[in-house]
Amino acid sequence: MKLLINLAILFLCCIGVSGQTYRKEICVGFRVSSSEIDLDYGDNASNLAEIVGLLTDVQRNPNMEITGVSFFGSASPEGRSLQNKQLVADRCASLEHYIRQRVDLPDSVVFKCDKTDVWQKLAIYVERSDMPHKDDVLYQIRQTPEYTYNAKGTLVDSRKKRLMNMDSGRTWNYMLREFFPSIRNASVLMVYIKQKETKQTEIPQEVKTPVQSVDTIPQEISPEETQPMPEAKSSRYYALKTNMLYDALAIPNIGVEVSLGRRWSLAADWMYAWWSNNSKHRYWRVYGGGLSARKWLGHASELKPLQGHHIGINAQILTYDLEFGGKGYMAGEPGGSLWSRLNYSFGAEYGYSMPIAERLNIDFSLVAGYMGGRYYEYIPLDGHYVWQATNNRHWWGPTKIEVTLVWLLGNNNYNVKKGGNK
């Protein structure tokens, strides 16, 4: 069973003259009983990329500085206490390791808190719901001790036992289904940011005391406590592209690629060349386009989308007319449009995209599969084009080769060196 974690909170504290606090929430997920960061789980890939991008943006901003980053972890109340305690510590360490591999954070600004009052979190969700036996559940959470022992030190009662027995277990199962996915397996990243002051050398006192995780539940933030947050940068990832091999062959082309999340992307391209020299019967006419669905793999794709190894499927349609003073070859019906007897191909794709500049990648890709369609042979004679033969193409092999220049677009879509900016 797949479970979501609670909210991972990213606090942006931009302290000016009035000392106002701004808050932003970001979710990160763990699988059940796991402390491993899994980029294929939920929206982890895009959300972790947004955290890394935000921290990097602050480091680049000459008017801002990071004064504190707190890592939190928690586990839902149905687990065993000792196991949950270790799981919380491991999740907290995993999130810290992931972030600090990608952003240069000095030890002086990093704080850790592996304790969370999950019962208080649960009480907040119950209080704001219309669940059956709501008042009884709140009474047990707030008034019944978590564990009750007799004079001999034997465990005789517990808060969890009473809740599990309520309404023959239906109440507990309701909370398990409706509330636990929001408070289970939580790791919280809290970032405190303030305007730089030339004379200030010490971290503010409020940063040195980690905020209790119960306050990280978003419903606790009231309009009076916080001002509207400045417009956040989009975490979308997309790019414009051109195949430099086609450009070298005088075939202008353009493409676009958009990240779909979970390390999937969709790419589309179009090419159009209509060069001719009628006096010598020379033609160089090509137009068409294609679509690719890609899955990104490997460590590089963990840093951000549209980078590293990728596999996928590709489909193309095209027509052409090639003739250099001798026999000519035309794919597509003579005098027709792209859709008239067009040629087509589909196949499997493999490629690798690597960064060469802050906003530029080079993508090497090869598609192999099947190409089909009808093509015509002709010869130019006395200003006319004399048909020679009609053939059906059945080709198995490489159908597309790319050495593509990729221009990365989007606020967070740039290449950052491992370890962050220094």
Side-chain angles (χ1 to χ4, degrees), residues 40-106:
D40 290 325
Y41 182 72
D43 296 324
N44 283 359
S46 60
N47 291 345
L48 287 168
E50 183 177 357
I51 294 173
V52 172
L54 177 58
L55 291 173
T56 303
D57 287 344
V58 173
Q59 289 180 329
R60 291 182 171 192
N61 191 328
N63 297 319
M64 304 292 290
E65 65 176 337
I66 300 173
T67 57
V69 181
S70 297
F71 296 93
F72 292 77
S74 72
S76 51
E78 82 273 22
R80 294 183 179 180
S81 178
L82 291 179
Q83 293 176 344
N84 279 353
K85 184 177 180 180
Q86 184 60 48
L87 192 59
V88 165
D90 291 343
R91 286 171 180 158
C92 181
S94 292
L95 181 58
E96 179 187 354
H97 178 73
Y98 183 92
I99 298 301
R100 297 188 74 176
Q101 268 194 323
R102 293 155 178 79
V103 182
D104 185 25
L105 295 175

Side-chain angles (χ1 to χ4, degrees), residues 9-64:
I9 308 298
L10 181 58
F11 283 79
L12 302 180
C13 303
C14 302
I15 304 176
V17 175
S18 61
Q20 295 173 341
T21 299
Y22 304 94
R23 299 180 179 183
K24 177 178 174 60
E25 303 162 8
I26 296 179
C27 296
V28 178
F30 285 98
R31 298 187 185 275
V32 177
S33 301
S34 173
S35 60
E36 180 181 355
I37 297 287
D38 188 345
L39 294 175
D40 290 325
Y41 182 72
D43 296 324
N44 283 359
S46 60
N47 291 345
L48 287 168
E50 183 177 357
I51 294 173
V52 172
L54 177 58
L55 291 173
T56 303
D57 287 344
V58 173
Q59 289 180 329
R60 291 182 171 192
N61 191 328
N63 297 319
M64 304 292 290

